[in-house]
Amino acid sequence: VTNPAGTSAPLQAISNDISLIIDPETGVPVSGRNANVALRVASLRAAGFEIPKGIEDGAEVPWLVEYTTVTGETITTKIMASNPDRALGLVTCRLELVL
């Protein structure tokens, strides 16, 4: 994880990266990437980070998440939205590929 100031820390997380989703209105499979990561709030704080904030436009430097797939491919993404769950101590972040 890298914050907008450029500080990075390796964190353990649960991630998913799905390339085929179901259109809820039609039930038809459609091509579309859905990538998310769930980070422990305690781990973020221990690394000196606040809870990440999603940045949807290019006006600000985004939070970045880099992860490795099961096939060994390294993926770099930016956080588009974050949803903290303070009861569970997790923040789930919606990701978008950095091109």
Side-chain angles (χ1 to χ4, degrees):
V1 174
T2 304
N3 69 9
T7 305
S8 296
L11 300 176
Q12 289 187 344
I14 298 171
S15 64
N16 72 9
D17 189 343
I18 301 167
S19 62
L20 187 65
I21 56 177
I22 304 295
D23 182 335
E25 292 183 22
T26 64
V28 174
V30 293
S31 179
R33 193 161 200 166
N34 182 7
N36 299 283
V37 66
L39 301 162
R40 291 182 56 222
V41 172
S43 296
L44 287 164
R45 296 214 190 283
F49 293 143
E50 60 190 47
I51 293 177
K53 295 181 175 91
I55 297 176
E56 293 195 28
D57 60 20
E60 298 179 50
V61 175
W63 283 78
L64 300 176
V65 174
E66 183 178 282
Y67 60 94
T68 304
T69 67
V70 295
T71 61
E73 180 183 8
T74 300
I75 308 286
T76 302
T77 61
K78 65 180 179 178
I79 295 177
M80 297 296 292
S82 67
N83 300 301
D85 184 328
R86 289 174 179 82
L88 292 176
L90 293 174
V91 58
T92 303
C93 302
R94 186 170 51 90
L95 307 174
E96 179 179 280
L97 280 177
V98 174
L99 301 175

